[in-house]
Structure formats: C-alpha cells, structure tokens
Amino acid sequence: MEAVKSFWADEELACSRQLRTLNPGAQKEKVKSWILATEQGPVKYLMDDAVAFAARSMPSTYAALYRVLSEVKRRIPDFRPRQVLDFGSGPGTSLWAIRELWPEQMKTAFLIETSAAMTSVCKSLAEGVETMPLLKYRTVLPNAGRSPRRDEKTNDLVICSFAMNEVPSMAHRMAVVNYLWTLTHNMLVIIEPGTLHGSALVRRLRDRVMTTENHRVRGQYRGLYLPASDPKAHSDLGAHVVAPCAHDGTCPMSRNVNGGICGLIQAIQAQEAKKLDKVSFSFVVMRRGFRKWGAWPLDRYKEGAPVVEPSQEDKVANLQGGWMRIVRPPTKLGNGITVPVCVPTGRNATDASLEDIKVTKDNIAMYSLASEAEMGDLWPR
C-alpha cells in the first residue's frame, strides 16, 4: 500500500510541475502527440481479445454506465442526449445504456476507439438493431491539434469510461480531459475503476475541469453564485458537478494523507451462475453553467419510505446540492447506526467536509432510512 501511495504522490508532483509549464497551445500539442502515439498502437486488441472483452467485461462496464447515467436522469429529468461522443468506446457499451434510459432520443453517436477489433465487435452488436442512432466511428479525437470549431462543440454528452488509464501520463490526461470538455456544450461523464488510483485520478480530472472553467469566468463575476432569476445562471458560463458530489469544491478526501476511495458498488447478475457479481467504480458528472436554485429536491427515496422535510431555514437549496452523500457503508453500533457522509458547505455548495452521523433507534424514521442506506446514496440534512 505504501508503494502505491508513494508512486501516486510522485506522479502527482511530476504532473503539477509539467502543467505549470504548459500554455493552452502546448496542452493541445500534448493531446495531439498522444493521439499520434496511439495511432502506432501501444494498446492493441486482437479480435479474440475484443470478443472476450465483450463477453466478460462488457456487462460490468454497462452496469457502471447505467448506474451513473441513471443518476443524471434522476437529477436532471429534462436532459436529452441527442448527440453523444464516447472517448475510448470499446465495443460500444455506452450505446446500450443510453438507449435503455432515453429510448429513441439519441440521434448521433461519435465512437472514438483506436482498436479496429473493438470497433468491429461494436458494429456486429449494433447490426440490424432498430432505432439505433447514426454511428460515426473514429480512431482519433476530431482535430485535437487545435481548438474545436463551433459545430464540433454540439455534443450533449461526452463520455470517457475506463479509458483514461490508457493515456500514458498525467500531463496527457489533463490535456485530454480539457479537450473533451471543449467538445460538449452540456455534460461530461468520467468513470474509472473504484480503486485508490482510479478514485484519485477522477478527483484530479474533476479539479482540472472545475478550476479551468471557473478561472475563465472569475474575471467577469466575483462569485460563482447567481440567482435563478439572472439569465446568466442558465448559460454555459462556469461549471458544476451533477454527481456524485453535492458540491463544487475540493474533495475533502483529497485533504487526507491517505486519500480515499469515493465511488459506488453496483451489483450485476453473473452470466453463468445464480449469484451476483459486483463492480466498483469512481465517477464524476460535470455540467456547464452555474448551479441553479429551486425547491428542495426529493431524490432517491424508495416507495413507502418516510419523507424527511427540510428545516424552515433550508426550504430552498441548490439543485443537485444541499443533500449529503454517503461515502462509506453505514455501520451498526449498539442501538444506533453510523452514517459516514460528505456534507456540502457554503451558500452555493463551494466546499464540503466529511462527517459521521449517528442515528439511534429513538428516531424511528431516520433509523429506518439508515438501515436500508448504501454507499453512494443521498442523505437528507
């Protein structure tokens, strides 16, 4: 474990030094140089490898994508991904998750995959399927050596799932995530394995996008909060986190010496056995624009569960914010349950802290919620 921590700390330090010397033009060259490297094929899949991947790993990838996109649909009901770009698309797993959640809404999908074998498997799976969107296959990102044109920024949703680890260095990853962010006018989804390395990578990519975007508008506006009545609150200025964070500040786990894994565990039905497999993953969903404010959102309650009303002072909260997120499995101790949560702080959820909430059996409604709560669920304040 110490070796892993030391390796990550050294890579982070090297990355920060590299990024300080990179201007925007140099970052584009980083993206371009990595794409030229992948064209030479450092990551190769033979046809047998691609078929085996689709049979063994595609279900777990689908489960992670479905869970993450379900969070998006639940929190933003009016979102419709009509044009999608998937970076590192593999056998096209994201297509099936999107089609399941938003039937017949997706019209065009750009699938970026360097492996011809993976692309071939994707085409075979999609062949003959009705209501399949227009699929455009690419081996490289479009025009990565320069700023994208206006018509290249029309993607409603850009996805990068389990692909950033194949990018050779941290500096390249930062440049790539910046470029992916420019390719969407709405939302960017990043998913990585639910390990210390994967979770820390997601945090770094999240911080990179948020910092870059907020610096872009800080010269125009003194703060990130805009009232809902302000038309600028509904523009593409700024950025906010849709999920899993209920805040836009630095992840409180990154302040700890040991870091930590922030992620979800999704159960999936095993293919050849009557048991459930589990996939662990870390993710972040970022959206353009400032957080919008409205009525307190009631979210993730199971049918029949007691509804806990907000306090009189907190009748209004920022959408996708205000609620706490359970970051560890709740534990039963004596006559109570301890619920570890990430708590958004600040008027516009610009910061967060980690807390342990103790729920006793005296509070029947909250104890009932805590007994059924799982890591990744939202928790009312």
Side-chain angles (χ1 to χ4, degrees):
M1 186 64 70
E2 292 301 324
V4 173
K5 293 175 188 174
S6 175
F7 168 77
W8 182 257
D10 291 344
E11 189 178 8
E12 288 286 278
L13 180 60
C15 168
S16 62
R17 289 172 177 169
Q18 285 180 286
L19 288 176
R20 281 198 294 268
T21 64
L22 288 179
N23 57 40
Q27 290 184 33
K28 293 172 190 173
E29 288 302 316
K30 281 286 185 183
V31 181
K32 190 174 182 179
S33 66
W34 174 73
I35 288 172
L36 292 176
T38 55
E39 285 179 329
Q40 298 170 5
V43 180
K44 292 184 178 180
Y45 289 93
L46 300 177
M47 182 57 70
D48 289 346
D49 299 327
V51 173
F53 179 91
R56 184 65 185 92
S57 299
M58 193 173 177
S60 59
T61 304
Y62 173 87
L65 279 163
Y66 186 89
R67 177 71 181 272
V68 171
L69 296 177
S70 294
E71 290 271 333
V72 172
K73 184 175 182 179
R74 183 181 295 112
R75 288 166 174 259
I76 311 176
D78 60 347
F79 175 67
R80 299 290 185 273
R82 302 190 184 281
Q83 182 169 307
V84 177
L85 184 145
D86 188 354
F87 174 73
S89 57
T93 313
S94 63
L95 295 175
W96 306 97
I98 295 172
R99 288 179 75 254
E100 182 70 20
L101 290 165
W102 293 281
E104 301 185 21
Q105 294 295 324
M106 182 172 47
K107 304 302 181 184
T108 307
F110 294 91
L111 304 178
I112 314 299
E113 175 56 53
T114 60
S115 169
M118 284 289 190
T119 300
S120 179
V121 171
C122 178
K123 291 179 179 179
S124 297
L125 293 174
E127 187 178 359
V129 178
E130 296 183 0
T131 70
M132 186 62 71
L134 175 63
L135 302 181
K136 297 186 178 182
Y137 300 95
R138 302 285 188 273
T139 57
V140 296
L141 285 168
N143 301 305
R146 60 165 178 77
S147 298
R149 300 188 305 267
R150 183 181 296 272
D151 61 335
E152 294 170 345
K153 301 179 182 181
T154 56
N155 299 292
D156 302 299
L157 176 63
V158 172
I159 297 174
C160 178
S161 61
F162 304 102
M164 275 296 180
N165 270 325
E166 296 183 3
V167 180
S169 72
M170 182 59 71
H172 283 87
R173 293 166 189 163
M174 295 299 181
V176 169
V177 77
N178 274 351
Y179 191 74
L180 291 177
W181 178 248
T182 65
L183 293 176
T184 179
H185 68 89
N186 198 327
M187 199 173 300
L188 172 63
V189 172
I190 299 171
I191 307 175
E192 289 296 325
T195 61
L196 279 173
H197 182 87
S199 187
L201 175 57
V202 170
R203 282 198 293 270
R204 293 297 301 164
L205 298 174
R206 169 193 184 276
D207 289 347
R208 181 65 175 173
V209 171
M210 296 297 296
T211 301
T212 300
E213 190 63 26
N214 290 333
H215 280 174
R216 186 174 72 89
V217 298
R218 194 161 291 167
Q220 302 180 47
Y221 304 99
R222 292 185 177 180
L224 296 181
Y225 169 72
L226 291 175
S229 58
D230 192 324
K232 299 184 187 67
H234 303 278
S235 72
D236 64 348
L237 290 171
H240 65 277
V241 180
V242 175
C245 318
H247 67 95
D248 299 326
T250 301
C251 175
M253 286 188 179
S254 64
R255 301 167 190 158
N256 299 335
V257 176
N258 296 331
I261 299 175
C262 179
L264 298 179
I265 298 176
Q266 179 63 47
I268 58 176
Q269 181 66 50
Q271 293 179 335
E272 299 177 357
K274 294 182 179 179
K275 64 177 182 179
L276 294 178
D277 285 340
K278 292 183 178 179
V279 55
S280 175
F281 58 92
S282 297
F283 76 99
V284 66
V285 180
M286 294 172 285
R287 192 183 194 193
R288 290 192 179 276
F290 297 97
R291 285 185 182 268
K292 300 166 187 176
W293 290 62
W296 188 277
L298 293 178
D299 189 330
R300 288 300 297 273
Y301 277 110
K302 299 177 181 178
E303 186 176 355
V307 175
V308 181
E309 292 292 339
S311 63
Q312 194 64 33
E313 305 83 54
D314 276 333
K315 286 293 185 181
V316 173
N318 53 338
L319 300 182
Q320 297 104 40
W323 289 65
M324 298 177 280
R325 172 75 68 167
I326 301 176
V327 294
R328 295 284 184 275
T331 56
K332 292 186 179 181
L333 296 173
N335 70 333
I337 299 177
T338 300
V339 184
V341 295
C342 178
V343 184
T345 59
R347 184 184 180 189
N348 52 337
T350 54
D351 206 353
S353 62
L354 298 176
E355 297 181 12
D356 288 339
I357 296 179
K358 296 182 179 179
V359 183
T360 64
K361 293 182 179 179
D362 296 335
N363 190 334
I364 298 176
M366 296 302 293
Y367 188 85
S368 175
L369 284 177
S371 63
E372 296 184 0
E374 300 176 352
M375 183 175 71
D377 286 348
L378 294 178
W379 186 260
R381 301 185 75 167

